[in-house]
Amino acid sequence: MSEPICIDLQARFGKRYRIGWEADGAAKPQWPRDEWPWLMELRCRYGRVYPKGGEILQAMTDRPRIGAQLRNLPCVLKAHGDDEVVVHFHVDDIGQVLALLKPYRRRQLSEAQRVRLRAMGFQREGHSPHVQSSLSDLRDAIAPSNDPRT
């Protein structure tokens, strides 16, 4: 019997939400690269979501009130735990679960912010080696300018 394939959270949800690694990536080097999707987790304000196998995901929270709400969702296939609640659900129902857990979203730049950063020398995959910019310069580039001269 072959091991169940899991959902690649980065490929499926990585453009919209921040994806992290189990144990902050400490176990990542010990796993073969093709099994890394098993170590990914979608971190949320009130818990996290991670693969169970196949099209099934698990969500956990250590917040009693959120846990009770998770248990009562119609999409939940299985739930266990009292202090730390873990629920199983199908990937298509992730919206209901994330509405309770409040996932951390990726920062999205507007097209005007992208143009402004490119004009400063920043590229899509980082920035040019000749650009020496401090974090405050980057914040100034992203923040709207109140200076009427610009």
Side-chain angles (χ1 to χ4, degrees):
M1 186 167 149
S2 66
E3 191 166 322
I5 297 173
C6 77
I7 293 171
D8 186 345
L9 294 176
Q10 181 64 43
R12 187 110 179 226
F13 304 109
K15 287 186 179 179
R16 188 168 189 182
Y17 303 111
R18 286 193 234 164
I19 306 296
W21 297 95
E22 178 183 338
D24 291 325
K28 187 175 154 187
Q30 297 154 358
W31 285 61
R33 188 176 190 86
D34 60 337
E35 294 183 15
W36 281 2
W38 288 101
L39 302 175
M40 292 180 188
E41 59 186 20
L42 197 155
R43 295 186 182 167
C44 305
R45 183 174 299 146
Y46 301 120
R48 62 180 191 253
V49 176
Y50 47 94
K52 168 72 174 156
E55 298 260 317
I56 305 299
L57 295 174
Q58 293 185 121
M60 71 73 57
T61 185
D62 58 359
R63 309 276 180 119
R65 184 173 287 158
I66 302 292
Q69 292 174 342
L70 278 176
R71 284 177 180 276
N72 293 328
L73 287 176
C75 65
V76 171
L77 305 173
K78 181 180 174 184
H80 59 276
D82 292 326
D83 295 335
E84 186 175 281
V85 176
V86 178
V87 297
H88 302 195
F89 61 97
H90 193 272
V91 67
D92 294 339
D93 299 318
I94 196 167
Q96 296 175 46
V97 174
L98 294 183
L100 293 173
L101 294 181
K102 309 292 185 207
Y104 296 113
R105 295 183 183 265
R106 288 180 55 113
R107 179 176 296 154
Q108 302 291 322
L109 296 177
S110 70
E111 190 56 38
Q113 291 169 331
R114 283 190 187 97
V115 168
R116 194 167 180 187
L117 287 173
R118 283 189 200 115
M120 289 178 55
F122 286 86
Q123 298 172 355
R124 185 179 178 104
E125 297 297 323
H127 62 273
S128 302
H130 68 277
V131 176
Q132 298 296 322
S133 177
S134 68
L135 184 57
S136 63
D137 291 340
L138 181 59
R139 284 190 193 122
D140 292 342
I142 294 173
S145 175
N146 294 331
D147 188 0
R149 295 175 288 171
T150 58

